[in-house]
Amino acid sequence: MTYEALFEQISQKKSYLCIGLDTDIRKIPAHLSKTADPVFEFNKQIIDATADFCVSYKPNIAFYEASGSKGWESLQKTIEYIPKSHFTIADAKRGDIGNTSGLYARTFFDPSASGLEFDAVTVAPYMGSDSVIPFLEFENKWVILLALTSNPGSGDFQRLQADGTHIYEHVLKISQNWAGADRMMYVVGATQAAEFEKIRTIIPDHFLLVPGVGAQGGNLEELSRFGMNAHCGLLVNASRSIIYAGSGVDFAQKAKHEAQLLQQEMAVYLDKYCK
Amino acid sequence: MTYEALFEQISQKKSYLCIGLDTDIRKIPAHLSKTADPVFEFNKQIIDATADFCVSYKPNIAFYEASGSKGWESLQKTIEYIPKSHFTIADAKRGDIGNTSGLYARTFFDPSASGLEFDAVTVAPYMGSDSVIPFLEFENKWVILLALTSNPGSGDFQRLQADGTHIYEHVLKISQNWAGADRMMYVVGATQAAEFEKIRTIIPDHFLLVPGVGAQGGNLEELSRFGMNAHCGLLVNASRSIIYAGSGVDFAQKAKHEAQLLQQEMAVYLDKYCK
């Protein structure tokens, strides 16, 4: 999917919501446990219920991998089921030496190898340029590079300063040499205005994938106000607050309600801040 | 496997060789392509031929994942086939927020979830403490944390300096708070004496997983001389130079020969430098 096509979807739906399909086999409503593939059945119903209110789906690969080859089958069925209108993100946080990152890129971008085809994959920056560039060799595919994450440990290394600049800012700056805003996004878990403003001086045009509304507790208005650019420039992710909104037979309806509430709020912020 | 049991294996075999099972379906000898699972058949013959000369096997997960669920089946068969005497490393370079890293830990350490059970997994440090600690909650299992890698991009962020100290040294220092030498190792792709000496002042007792003999071209004597401690403290990996030593029906014999040559060299260095 191109930058323009993604913005077109956002404009049409008045939504920049990404739904995290972090489907934990241990948390699936009991009535699904008898189906042939409970994880896929759960995802299918979530997708049917929420597709009108989001522009992106993001399965976190850990949740599938933890069930071994069976989990990979559920993942494959899920990615095939998601409508082509939606931007798909493999939240895999991969990264290895050049030729090996090339294999990870095949995993998520080349269905003739793995059976999977996503639009984007999240990549960890620690190993540097040659661990990221192989993902960019696939046409129209995206890298979403970890910059500033929102977890407690993000301070350990990402906020160390080299030459007066945080390591996560070095990541933003150095990676500009690898691809432009049409092929790269960044995971930015910032919640403070000052941080977003600094980040936007380095990468004014890029999309940011922002975790942390809902269960992780970010403030959607704040991050929209300070993070948005003239092409929206944000994909805001919610996972547990949507997919586990209910735990009974009506779980998909409950998920739909949560997704719709977020979309309605996003419509307001697009109108106010997307300029 | 415990620190002591690993050193016992090293002492018995006079080897600190780790063989990287980076098995690329596109590089497997032609005569195996007709078997039911060519990747497993290849690994099986490599393991049979080399088990006497190495103490560890390290499948790089990218090579399996690139074939989707089928690749995970080959991986599962491989890990079940490796003798229990060998230290098994899932070279996965994973890392995510706390609860998600917990799922990656289940993937590689909990066979009731994924069908896989390794002794250790490689983990990327970028996301900090809560991305690493969940792996340490599995008894007798190891984290091998990326510190200084050997690829061209390792300079981009790992060698930035914060407060006069390289980021990779911060990784070595900060991670001391998470576990000791009995549960944690480090990926160190250093080849220069001065670097090893500096690293050994920070972590005198830990095992280092060192890539880069063979195809990546490190000097085995240099790194043994400066990296070894009184319990060896090194696992030196070779992948392509062993597993692709031959490409015909005798590929396993060729692999055996290469592994044996490295083991014989290692026996000399253990005698000289392990003190």
Side-chain angles (χ1 to χ4, degrees), chain B:
Chain B
M1 190 179 290
T2 64
Y3 188 100
E4 292 73 22
L6 178 57
F7 182 50
E8 176 65 25
Q9 284 293 318
I10 290 169
S11 304
Q12 273 181 22
K13 286 185 172 162
K14 299 187 192 305
S15 170
Y16 43 100
L17 177 61
C18 172
I19 295 183
L21 296 173
D22 299 357
T23 309
D24 190 332
I25 183 82
R26 299 167 298 185
K27 287 189 187 162
I28 284 177
H31 73 284
L32 295 179
S33 66
K34 296 263 162 45
T35 58
D37 185 341
V39 168
F40 172 62
E41 189 54 41
F42 179 86
N43 288 349
K44 184 172 169 294
Q45 292 192 37
I46 292 282
I47 294 162
D48 287 343
T50 60
D52 288 347
F53 308 108
C54 68
V55 293
S56 177
Y57 288 104
K58 177 176 76 62
N60 186 308
I61 307 305
F63 288 80
Y64 300 86
E65 204 169 285
S67 298
S69 58
K70 219 167 41 160
W72 279 79
E73 283 167 21
S74 306
L75 179 62
Q76 185 176 348
K77 282 186 259 178
T78 299
I79 196 71
E80 280 167 2
Y81 191 76
I82 295 171
K84 289 285 163 279
S85 51
H86 288 66
F87 187 77
T88 51
I89 302 168
D91 194 0
K93 302 185 174 73
R94 299 299 194 258
D96 207 307
I97 61 169
N99 70 328
T100 310
S101 266
L103 281 156
Y104 279 129
R106 292 184 72 204
T107 304
F108 298 110
F109 293 156
D110 180 357
S112 75
S114 66
L116 299 173
E117 186 175 3
F118 287 86
D119 290 306
V121 61
T122 59
V123 177
Y126 191 71
M127 295 181 71
S129 57
D130 64 296
S131 70
V132 180
I133 288 167
F135 291 96
L136 295 164
E137 287 163 3
F138 284 75
E139 216 176 338
N140 281 326
K141 301 299 183 187
W142 294 72
V143 163
I144 308 181
L145 199 62
L146 302 186
L148 180 60
T149 59
S150 58
N151 61 313
S154 64
D156 287 335
F157 308 115
Q158 297 166 26
R159 289 182 193 275
L160 290 176
Q161 294 203 13
D163 302 324
T165 304
H166 291 114
I167 296 303
Y168 79 84
E169 294 172 80
H170 283 280
V171 169
L172 295 175
K173 285 175 184 170
I174 291 173
S175 61
Q176 298 304 298
N177 300 319
W178 308 337
D182 58 330
R183 298 292 304 283
M184 207 179 293
M185 304 184 181
Y186 295 94
V187 172
V188 169
T191 45
Q192 291 163 25
E195 239 162 18
F196 263 116
E197 284 177 344
K198 199 161 59 172
I199 288 166
R200 279 304 189 197
T201 63
I202 308 173
I203 44 164
D205 300 324
H206 287 72
F207 268 89
L208 312 180
L209 174 62
V210 186
V213 300
Q216 288 177 62
N219 180 318
L220 183 57
E221 172 146 29
E222 279 289 288
L223 71 88
S224 302
R225 184 169 162 207
F226 295 104
M228 214 174 261
N229 64 24
H231 293 90
C232 182
L234 293 176
L235 290 174
V236 174
N237 184 74
S239 300
R240 285 168 282 171
S241 66
I242 292 179
I243 70 172
Y244 300 131
S247 58
V249 289
D250 62 344
F251 74 95
Q253 277 305 309
K254 293 260 174 73
K256 176 180 181 167
H257 181 68
E258 289 299 314
Q260 190 166 20
L261 284 180
L262 279 171
Q263 181 274 319
Q264 286 166 347
E265 205 181 333
M266 288 177 172
V268 176
Y269 304 145
L270 276 168
D271 194 52
K272 268 169 99 172
Y273 305 121
C274 182
K275 47 191 66 160

Side-chain angles (χ1 to χ4, degrees), chain A residues 16-20 54-58 89 209 235-238:
Chain A
Y16 41 101
L17 177 62
C18 172
I19 296 182
C54 69
V55 293
S56 178
Y57 287 105
K58 178 176 75 63
I89 302 168
L209 174 62
L235 290 174
V236 173
N237 184 75

